Structure formats: structure tokens, C-alpha cells
Amino acid sequence: MKVEIKNEMIPLITEFVGGLPLVRKHSRFRRELIKMLSENYEKVEDQRMEIVKEHCEKDSAGKPIIKEKQYRIPEENQEKYQEDVTELMNEVYVIEGGNNRELIRTMRTILLKFENQEYQGKESATYDYLYEQFKVDENLEEEAENE
């Protein structure tokens, strides 16, 4: 039992699940999921900044040039920069079963609870993504037998 979440989806997921009206156990596991994802996204942002520094304009000493609190990526580095950032954002954060088994099961229950809710735009896309990644439509008993 595992869930794979693309780095690019983490901000949308934390915003989406943070807005769900939940209580008790469901609320606790939502907070745990948000904490896990947020900690991972901090690392992703650190890595993204390293990519920015790698591709930005540098002075004669090789230090990044910052203009108006921003790094400037020269035109000749734009393509490689975009490739590197895209690669980073497409990497997945994996939530393995084991200690997270109950979190995964509870998130499935939460997603099922909101299955008949009407969503639009990015909320709809985020809900569908979570539903697919948490494999909500799979039989939980069958999965437990297979482990």
C-alpha cells in the first residue's frame, strides 16, 4: 500500500484537504498529511532554488547576481532551467504503508465521504488526482489480503 504524489500537486493538495470540513480522527489525519507534504515541499523549494542559482546570471566571482530581489535567468539558460524545474516538479513523494497505513485508509474514507460533493476547476482536478492516487475505488479488504 503506497501513494505517490507529484511535487507539483503538493500545494494544491494541502490547500484542498485543508479546506475540507473534518472532525476528530479525520481532522487529525488530514493535519498529518498536510504536515508530511509541507515538509517535503520545503525540500522541493530548496532544490528549486539550487536550480535557479545554477542557471542564473553570475558575477565575475561566480556568485549569483540578484536584481530587485530576483535572480535573472539568461535566455541561453532558459530551456535547460525549465527542463530541470519540470523534472523536479514531476518527481513523486511516496507515502508507504507501514506506519502510514492508517493515514492512507483514513484519507480514502475522507475522499469517499466527499465523493458526491460538487467541485469546479482546480478543486475538481485536485479531488480527482487524490482519488486516483489513493486508489479509492479499489477494495480495501482485497488489498489487505495481498499484503
Side-chain angles (χ1 to χ4, degrees):
M1 178 185 309
K2 72 178 178 179
V3 175
E4 296 180 348
I5 297 176
K6 283 186 174 184
N7 288 334
E8 69 182 346
M9 292 299 294
I10 292 174
L12 294 171
I13 290 169
T14 55
E15 180 182 337
F16 176 79
V17 298
L20 295 175
L22 302 172
V23 295
R24 296 185 301 278
K25 178 182 178 181
H26 290 175
S27 182
R28 284 194 317 273
F29 279 105
R30 170 195 35 209
R31 282 193 307 273
E32 181 63 26
L33 177 66
I34 289 172
K35 180 182 173 194
M36 291 169 67
L37 294 176
S38 295
E39 287 172 357
N40 181 70
Y41 201 70
E42 285 180 30
K43 294 175 189 172
V44 169
E45 277 299 299
D46 289 344
Q47 292 172 356
R48 189 186 66 76
M49 282 309 300
E50 288 303 315
I51 292 170
V52 168
K53 290 175 184 176
E54 179 182 330
H55 295 288
C56 73
E57 278 186 330
K58 295 177 180 74
D59 63 17
S60 59
K63 300 222 183 234
I65 297 173
I66 301 171
K67 293 180 183 176
E68 299 174 16
K69 299 181 183 180
Q70 290 190 351
Y71 295 90
R72 186 174 172 285
I73 311 289
E75 188 64 38
E76 62 270 11
N77 293 353
Q78 281 291 334
E79 187 176 331
K80 186 65 176 148
Y81 165 75
Q82 288 299 329
E83 287 175 16
D84 290 350
V85 169
T86 299
E87 180 181 14
L88 174 65
M89 297 313 274
N90 282 323
E91 289 175 5
V92 294
Y93 176 67
V94 178
I95 302 171
E96 296 275 357
N99 292 338
N100 296 313
R101 185 179 315 268
E102 190 63 23
L103 177 133
I104 294 170
R105 286 189 176 131
T106 302
M107 285 307 300
R108 285 178 173 173
T109 302
I110 291 168
L111 292 168
L112 269 174
K113 177 181 175 180
F114 290 96
E115 186 173 36
N116 294 322
Q117 183 82 23
E118 202 170 295
Y119 301 105
Q120 294 180 359
K122 69 180 180 179
E123 280 190 336
S124 178
T126 304
Y127 178 82
D128 291 346
Y129 182 82
L130 283 170
Y131 196 92
E132 183 179 304
Q133 298 312 306
F134 278 90
K135 300 175 178 76
V136 175
D137 53 357
E138 287 184 9
N139 187 327
L140 298 178
E141 288 79 29
E142 282 180 23
E143 186 173 301
E145 290 172 10
N146 293 334
E147 292 180 353

